[in-house]
Amino acid sequence: MTDLRVRKRIRMAGYDYSREGVYFVTVCAKDRHELFGSIDVGATALGRPCPIVTLTPLGECLNETIQLANKENVSIEKYVIMPNHIHMIIALSAGDRGRSPLQYVIRNIKSYVTKQAGFSPWQKSFHDYIIRTKSDYQRISQYIDENPRKWTEDCYYIASKEI
C-alpha cells in the first residue's frame, strides 16, 4: 500500500468560524496564472511611484462580484485584485447553525466568477488569517494598499516573465 500524503490543515484548529470575526483572506489563481490583470509598476504621478492596475475582463468580473458580495452580514472592507490573486479584509456576522460564513462567501465569489468565465480560474481553497487586534488590521490594511507598488517583490510574482 502506498503512503498517502497528509494534507496540510489550512483552517485554524479549534477556532469557531461560525462566530463573528474579521479575516484577511488570500485567494489565488490556478497555477498562479495572471488572469485578473496586470500592473505597471513603473508608472509615476507627481514624481512618485504610482502603479497602475489594469484589470482583464475576468478581473472586472471579479471586481463586480466582490462588490456584490457585501450584504447584511458580510462586509468586504478592503481588497486588492492582483494579476494572479486577491487579498481581502472581510468582516462577518455570526453564521447560522454552526456554519462558517467565511467559507460560503469565498465559495460564492469563486463560483460566480467561474460561471461567468466558463472555466475555473481558481486554486483549490484559500488562505485566511484571523484579525484579532487593531494593529493587525492596520498592518494588513497597509499591506493591501501597498501590494500593487511592491508587485515585483510579491511572493506570487513570477519573475520568469521578464526573460
Side-chain angles (χ1 to χ4, degrees), residues 63-64 66-67 76-81 87-89 144:
N63 187 48
E64 292 169 17
I66 290 170
Q67 292 174 20
I76 299 178
E77 297 184 353
K78 182 170 273 206
Y79 67 96
V80 64
I81 299 173
H87 294 300
M88 299 178 279
I89 294 177
I144 288 173

Side-chain angles (χ1 to χ4, degrees), residues 72-142:
E72 183 179 312
N73 62 343
V74 176
S75 175
I76 299 178
E77 297 184 353
K78 182 170 273 206
Y79 67 96
V80 64
I81 299 173
M82 299 296 287
N84 60 9
H85 64 283
I86 56 174
H87 294 300
M88 299 178 279
I89 294 177
I90 304 175
L92 301 170
S93 300
D96 61 348
R97 291 177 269 154
R99 293 182 183 168
S100 168
L102 181 62
Q103 289 177 322
Y104 285 102
V105 169
I106 302 304
R107 183 193 69 197
N108 289 342
I109 290 171
K110 289 169 84 171
S111 177
Y112 185 81
V113 171
T114 295
K115 285 178 186 171
Q116 298 304 307
F119 67 97
S120 178
W122 305 109
Q123 176 177 300
K124 189 173 184 171
S125 197
F126 61 94
H127 174 77
D128 70 85
Y129 173 81
I130 303 157
I131 299 174
R132 296 179 184 93
T133 66
K134 196 177 273 190
S135 63
D136 261 359
Y137 188 97
Q138 291 168 338
R139 178 181 49 81
I140 290 166
S141 180
Q142 182 177 357

